Amino acid sequence: IEAVVEEEDLVVDIGTGSGILSIMAVKAGAEHVFAIEGDPSLEKAAAKVVESNGCGEKITIIGKHSTRVKVGFGLDVPTGANVIVSEILDSFLLGEGVVSAMHDAV
């Protein structure tokens, strides 16, 4: 993340889980991160982790599956991302919907 994220980048974190990749993106200089999480329990956990790490103003948690997130002015994410981060891989690549999530994201 440090090698890719630059200052003023807008980052999207697909399947944020605990929010750790979002926090790393902020620490690397991202202007703002939209952390997307479809599981309500993980969404709440991520919000706590983000706040406890002092990143609440730079990270927006979106409680939706990534394929339902709308991009555009006044929508979930205001504009396309400069960087997409994710850790939704499993041993078979298809188990957590990686292919459809990445295809939709780009």
Side-chain angles (χ1 to χ4, degrees):
I1 290 175
E2 287 182 2
V4 176
V5 174
E6 299 178 358
E7 287 189 32
E8 300 184 17
D9 275 350
L10 174 70
V11 177
V12 169
D13 179 2
I14 298 175
T16 196
S18 68
I20 191 69
L21 296 182
S22 295
I23 293 167
M24 290 172 67
V26 167
K27 305 256 183 214
E31 181 176 322
H32 200 84
V33 179
F34 290 89
I36 302 167
E37 180 52 60
D39 182 304
S41 297
L42 290 174
E43 175 192 358
K44 289 177 187 174
K48 288 180 184 178
V49 171
V50 164
E51 286 298 324
S52 67
N53 280 276
C55 296
E57 291 186 19
K58 290 202 162 220
I59 299 174
T60 301
I61 309 285
I62 300 172
K64 294 182 178 180
H65 189 277
S66 64
T67 58
R68 295 178 187 245
V69 171
K70 303 294 183 201
V71 178
F73 182 75
L75 300 175
D76 299 315
V77 178
T79 187
N82 303 96
V83 177
I84 299 170
V85 297
S86 180
E87 193 285 308
I88 57 173
L89 301 178
D90 72 0
S91 60
F92 293 107
L93 185 64
L94 302 174
E96 294 189 44
V98 175
V99 174
S100 62
M102 289 301 124
H103 177 69
D104 185 67
V106 294

